[in-house]
Amino acid sequence: MNMNDLKNTKAPVSTVTINRNEFDEKTENIYEAISITAKRAVQINSEIKKELLEKLEEFATYSDSLEEVFENKEQIEVSKFYEKLPKPHAMAITEWLEDKIYHRNTEKDDQ
């Protein structure tokens, strides 16, 4: 999944209640389902953080003096955009419920 997919996600921006039976239906274990989505949320977060830092670096201005502080409008706009994105855990849960996360239990596969 690329960053454009993450930016165009249907994940909610605010907290939403999820049906527990629907959430753990694929694994039949709520803890396993939570673990899978948590790992995906960490991946999404690192992807977003990497892209944000790259974009902010494009607009960075460097000065030799610590007293000079520049407010870069481009950096502010980029930061505001990323602040408005849904949280990584909401994106991961949406992916999980839409069957977009591949997972397998190696302990069950070996038996």
Side-chain angles (χ1 to χ4, degrees), residues 55-88:
K55 288 195 185 245
L56 290 177
E57 188 67 29
E58 291 176 16
F59 301 113
T61 55
Y62 300 101
S63 67
D64 294 335
S65 173
L66 293 176
E67 296 168 4
E68 293 182 49
V69 176
F70 296 103
E71 284 192 18
N72 191 326
K73 292 185 189 281
E74 291 86 5
Q75 285 180 324
I76 292 170
E77 291 302 316
V78 168
S79 295
K80 283 182 180 179
F81 172 80
Y82 281 92
E83 286 175 4
K84 291 178 185 176
L85 284 177
K87 302 296 179 218

Side-chain angles (χ1 to χ4, degrees), residues 24-42:
D24 68 1
E25 182 178 29
K26 297 173 194 86
T27 60
E28 298 176 359
N29 183 334
I30 187 70
Y31 302 106
E32 186 176 353
I34 290 171
S35 176
I36 291 167
T37 54
K39 289 176 183 176
R40 178 62 183 137
V42 169

Side-chain angles (χ1 to χ4, degrees), residues 12-13 16 22 33 35 43 63 78 82-83 86 92 94 102 104 107:
V13 178
V16 176
E22 183 182 342
S35 176
Q43 290 174 340
S63 67
V78 168
Y82 281 92
E83 286 175 4
T94 301
Y102 170 77
R104 65 188 178 105
E107 291 175 8

Side-chain angles (χ1 to χ4, degrees), residues 3 6 36-50 88 92 95 101-102:
M3 286 308 299
L6 295 176
I36 291 167
T37 54
K39 289 176 183 176
R40 178 62 183 137
V42 169
Q43 290 174 340
I44 291 170
N45 189 50
S46 64
E47 291 172 19
I48 291 173
K49 184 177 179 180
K50 179 183 174 196
E95 287 181 5
I101 298 177
Y102 170 77

